[in-house]
Amino acid sequence: MVSATKQVPDPSGADRGRTPEDVPTGQPEARPEHHSTPEHTDALAAGLTRLPLRARIWRRRALIVGVRVARLVSTGLSRFFPAIRYLARSLHRRWRRSLQFRTVLTTLLLSVTSFAVVGAYLSNQIANNLFQERLTQAESETRYNVKQVQDTFDGAQVTDQSSVITLVYDTLTAVEGRGDEIQRRYVFEAMPQQTKPRNRWVESRASDQLTVSVIPPDLRKAVQQSGKDQYWASTVIPVGTEDRPGIAVGNKVDFNGTVYELYLIYDLNTAQQTLDEIQSVLWAGGAVLVLMIGAIAWYVTRNVVSPVSHAALVSEKLAAGQLQERMVVKGEDEVARLGASFNHMAASLQEQITQLATLSQMQQRFVSDVSHELRTPLTTVRMAAEVLYDARHDFDPINKRSAELLYNQVERFQSLLSDLLEISRFDAGVAMLDAEPEDILQVIAHVIEGAAPVAAEYGSEITLRAPAEGIVVEMDARRIDRILRNLILNAVEHGEGRPVNITVAANQTAVGIAVRDHGIGMTPAEAARVFDRFWRADPARARTTGGSGLGLSIAMEDTKLHNGWLQAWGKKGTGANFRLTVPLRQGEEIDRSPVQLEPEDILLPEVQAGRNMLVMDPGPAPVPQAPESVRVPDDAQGDGDAAAAPRSGVTAVPKETP
């Protein structure tokens, strides 16, 4: 029965048989006496005095060197970690933006993982097979050689010590099988604690300066406690300056009444070299195969991704207006058909866009030409209408009413013509911004005064909440005035006689103006189209003011010239809110608007202490002259003088702090 035992190192085996050498002791060596002189004493004292100074100098030098080394290390780390972070960010950006890089890298990682697992499995299987094959061979050879040794010992006729030693040496040397190299090594050791040894003339023998310490203790214990069974264990054989793996197979033999332990040790260095070569071939072949797979993946993905990348580039150029760009089509495969379809789509889009652009140019030219051509006859008609309107008191009722209708419609026609001319200037790209620093609150006050007659006619009151101090903005006052006039008149017209609230606020970069009505309101879809030209939420609804359908479109174009925002919010039955946001200084970007687009209640938020409220009287229409200032300062809110009295239908009311 054969059983395996595990190797356990024997720390005491290496020193077995060794005894420490005695070190001779003797009397201390006599030293000559030194007679000190005064000169000698002074020199010795000076030397002792200089020792602390030198120690401090060397300590200072060591500190300087340490500081310099620490600085070098710190500098290296400060440059190393940013480089690592930059490389990681570059790889992450490349991973996100490149399909080819992501595919190739994923293929390489999966290939390396697969080959590592398969290579480790194959290496382990090959190592196990080589070991099992060598173990089977070692067990078979050991049985045969041990039988030969025992037969030789049993048939030996020797009585003297020298003959015994010669017989044992010759027999064990034959077991080694020496040739070009030693096939096996042996350790021959007498079992300890034998009760009746006959003639123990041979205590131990070993080949190549081996000792019993190379035999694992567990193997020796198993052999000593067994009968004629054979045991084996893995061990390490010291050969020259290197340690080699090996297998030790142990048995018992008898000679002249003494029981001996015979261990045959087989060198596995050849099998280990074979395994190393196989592993090197596996890893080298795996590395080459991984590189080949990476190259193949790169080539395949390049053939697939390159047309897609080219299509993306051509799409970007088409979106930028380069309608003549096309994809290069090669072959007849799926990618080629995709390129052909893409080119056909691009050609169709180019044709349609060209037609639309031509039609748009014709329409713009038509509107511009018609608008300019109508100015002269319209001026003549207007002059005639004014003459008839001034003389309407001398007409009969029918002609009087006709003169009034003619005058009003000519005024409306002239407003529409002015809007068309302004739109044609925007379309032609000749609209210019004449920006100057001005107080926007004065512009708002001027617009409110101009809208007072319309508000009185509809029965709506206009309230203004604004900061007590002025807000200086670099703007084109004429265009801002036109924007606000369109927003306020639109709010009054659709407010159903309810109040119209105007809120003004500013932050570090922008000023915001919100015009809120509480009338019929509009849906989100209508709010998205409210700035389209000639668009009306209810075309069948009667219009008594304005009516051109271009006011909000012109307001949007004026806002774009200021690099601002013009946004709309509405809800059916609740009203609408229009928010204008323009930068305080031209060229600045708007981060956020200081006023809220979607109101939370009747009055908009963002109202702070120190602001004023103006209430437009819906009663008698004011006189055309505008007041010097419609903003009431804080120090005049409680006075009873003329500064707080109503002027031109405008009532100044102090605001209560919420």
Side-chain angles (χ1 to χ4, degrees):
M1 179 179 179
V2 180
S3 61
T5 60
K6 295 184 178 179
Q7 177 184 1
V8 179
D10 185 5
S12 62
D15 297 330
R16 182 175 298 173
R18 298 181 182 178
T19 58
E21 297 181 357
D22 295 335
V23 180
T25 60
Q27 297 296 327
E29 181 181 358
R31 297 183 180 179
E33 256 183 51
H34 292 280
H35 299 282
S36 59
T37 61
E39 294 81 0
H40 185 312
T41 304
D42 295 341
L44 182 60
L48 293 175
T49 305
R50 287 195 298 269
L51 281 178
L53 178 60
R54 291 183 179 180
R56 289 196 299 270
I57 292 174
W58 282 108
R59 185 172 57 196
R60 184 178 181 84
R61 291 178 179 177
L63 181 61
I64 292 174
V65 171
V67 170
R68 291 180 178 178
V69 171
R71 288 179 180 175
L72 289 176
V73 173
S74 177
T75 303
L77 292 177
S78 63
R79 295 180 180 179
F80 175 75
F81 288 112
I84 294 297
R85 287 194 297 269
Y86 174 77
L87 179 61
R89 287 195 297 266
S90 300
L91 291 177
H92 181 65
R93 182 170 58 253
R94 185 75 172 174
W95 173 271
R96 289 187 295 103
R97 302 185 63 180
S98 176
L99 176 61
Q100 182 178 3
F101 177 78
R102 188 162 59 247
T103 303
V104 173
L105 186 59
T106 304
T107 304
L108 287 177
L109 292 177
L110 293 177
S111 301
V112 168
T113 304
S114 302
F115 281 118
V117 173
V118 173
Y121 175 76
L122 292 177
S123 177
N124 185 55
Q125 291 298 316
I126 293 172
N128 290 335
N129 292 336
L130 288 175
F131 182 80
Q132 290 297 329
E133 180 183 359
R134 193 72 180 94
L135 177 61
T136 303
Q137 181 183 0
E139 290 178 338
S140 177
E141 291 180 0
T142 300
R143 290 190 184 95
Y144 175 76
N145 286 281
V146 168
K147 184 177 181 301
Q148 281 188 336
V149 170
Q150 188 63 57
D151 292 343
T152 302
F153 287 166
D154 291 342
Q157 299 294 330
V158 292
T159 56
D160 59 303
Q161 182 179 6
S162 61
S163 299
V164 171
I165 294 175
T166 301
L167 176 64
V168 171
Y169 177 76
D170 293 341
T171 303
L172 296 178
T173 302
V175 170
E176 279 187 326
R178 287 180 177 271
D180 294 338
E181 61 180 12
I182 300 176
Q183 298 179 1
R184 65 189 68 83
R185 293 170 175 82
Y186 67 87
V187 173
F188 188 72
E189 184 79 13
M191 286 188 59
Q193 299 177 358
Q194 296 190 52
T195 57
K196 296 179 180 179
R198 183 179 178 182
N199 287 314
R200 191 179 297 176
W201 290 336
V202 180
E203 288 290 339
S204 64
R205 284 287 185 272
S207 60
D208 283 348
Q209 299 179 355
L210 294 179
T211 62
V212 74
S213 63
V214 301
I215 307 301
D218 292 342
L219 177 60
R220 289 201 64 189
K221 184 178 180 181
V223 171
Q224 291 171 3
Q225 295 177 356
S226 68
K228 295 294 183 179
D229 295 332
Q230 180 174 277
Y231 296 90
W232 68 271
S234 299
T235 186
V236 177
I237 309 171
V239 179
T241 58
E242 63 176 340
D243 294 334
R244 297 181 180 180
I247 300 175
V249 184
N251 290 269
K252 286 181 180 179
V253 293
D254 299 329
F255 183 46
N256 289 338
T258 303
V259 181
Y260 292 91
E261 303 171 23
L262 177 59
Y263 300 96
L264 297 184
I265 303 172
Y266 295 86
D267 192 353
L268 298 182
N269 188 53
T270 304
Q272 183 64 42
Q273 291 178 354
T274 302
L275 180 62
D276 293 341
E277 292 177 358
I278 293 174
Q279 289 179 345
S280 300
V281 171
L282 284 176
W283 293 119
V288 173
L289 193 56
V290 166
L291 293 178
M292 292 178 61
I293 291 176
I296 293 172
W298 177 82
Y299 178 75
V300 173
T301 54
R302 179 176 177 273
N303 290 337
V304 176
V305 174
S306 294
V308 178
S309 301
H310 183 54
L313 181 61
V314 173
S315 300
E316 292 175 357
K317 292 182 178 180
L318 289 174
Q322 303 178 19
L323 302 179
Q324 73 282 357
E325 289 292 329
R326 297 292 184 273
M327 289 185 61
V328 178
V329 180
K330 295 181 181 180
E332 299 178 357
D333 54 6
E334 292 82 1
V335 177
R337 291 198 297 271
L338 174 63
S341 301
F342 185 89
N343 291 339
H344 179 70
M345 178 189 67
S348 177
L349 289 176
Q350 181 182 10
E351 181 180 357
Q352 295 180 12
I353 291 174
T354 303
Q355 291 178 356
L356 291 175
T358 303
L359 179 60
S360 177
Q361 291 178 359
M362 292 177 59
Q363 290 177 345
Q364 293 174 9
R365 188 180 302 111
F366 174 77
V367 171
S368 179
D369 294 343
V370 169
S371 301
H372 283 83
E373 291 298 329
L374 287 177
R375 293 184 67 180
T376 301
L378 180 61
T379 302
T380 304
V381 172
R382 182 182 179 183
M383 293 174 61
E386 289 178 352
V387 171
L388 294 175
Y389 183 77
D390 292 339
R392 69 184 183 280
H393 300 289
D394 300 332
F395 299 159
D396 57 86
I398 297 178
N399 291 330
K400 179 180 179 181
R401 180 58 179 165
S402 299
E404 293 175 350
L405 292 176
L406 177 62
Y407 179 79
N408 293 330
Q409 294 303 317
V410 167
E411 288 289 338
R412 188 173 180 182
F413 189 22
Q414 187 175 15
S415 176
L416 174 60
L417 184 59
S418 299
D419 292 342
L420 289 175
L421 289 174
E422 190 66 25
I423 286 292
S424 65
R425 280 193 289 270
F426 283 120
D427 292 337
V430 297
M432 302 298 294
L433 189 68
D434 185 15
E436 293 182 359
E438 292 191 37
D439 187 0
I440 197 170
L441 295 182
Q442 296 182 0
V443 177
I444 296 173
H446 179 266
V447 174
I448 292 176
E449 287 297 320
V454 181
E457 181 180 354
Y458 278 89
S460 297
E461 62 178 9
I462 302 176
T463 61
L464 170 65
R465 291 199 171 189
E469 65 279 1
I471 303 176
V472 179
V473 182
E474 291 184 11
M475 61 180 179
D476 189 335
R478 180 181 63 87
R479 297 184 184 277
I480 295 296
D481 183 282
R482 182 164 58 192
I483 296 172
L484 295 176
R485 184 171 65 252
N486 277 291
L487 296 181
I488 294 175
L489 291 178
N490 185 70
V492 170
E493 180 182 355
H494 296 84
E496 302 292 331
R498 297 185 179 93
V500 174
N501 310 115
I502 303 174
T503 301
V504 184
N507 55 23
Q508 298 296 327
T509 59
V511 59
I513 305 169
V515 180
R516 168 82 157 97
D517 68 77
H518 305 80
I520 59 176
M522 54 184 173
T523 63
E526 293 173 347
R529 297 193 55 193
V530 73
F531 298 106
D532 294 346
R533 297 179 182 180
F534 300 105
W535 183 85
R536 295 175 62 183
D538 186 7
R541 185 172 178 269
R543 300 286 296 272
T544 57
T545 62
S548 67
L550 295 175
L552 293 179
S553 300
I554 295 175
M556 176 62 74
E557 297 294 338
D558 287 332
T559 305
K560 290 179 180 179
L561 285 179
H562 285 84
N563 295 322
W565 301 344
L566 183 57
Q567 298 159 303
W569 170 89
K571 185 176 181 181
K572 281 294 186 180
T574 304
N577 185 40
F578 287 82
R579 182 179 68 180
L580 171 65
T581 309
V582 293
L584 294 177
R585 290 165 291 277
Q586 289 298 313
E588 290 187 351
E589 295 292 335
I590 301 176
D591 297 330
R592 64 180 183 86
S593 181
V595 295
Q596 187 172 336
L597 177 61
E598 183 176 353
E600 296 179 356
D601 48 15
I602 296 178
L603 294 178
L604 290 173
E606 304 286 344
V607 179
Q608 302 174 0
R611 299 186 179 182
N612 301 318
M613 179 187 298
L614 295 177
V615 179
M616 302 301 302
D617 244 349
V623 294
Q625 290 81 7
E628 296 180 0
S629 175
V630 296
R631 180 170 54 86
V632 181
D634 293 337
D635 55 0
Q637 291 183 0
D639 299 336
D641 54 5
R647 297 184 62 183
S648 304
V650 180
T651 306
V653 180
K655 171 195 169 293
E656 297 180 359
T657 303

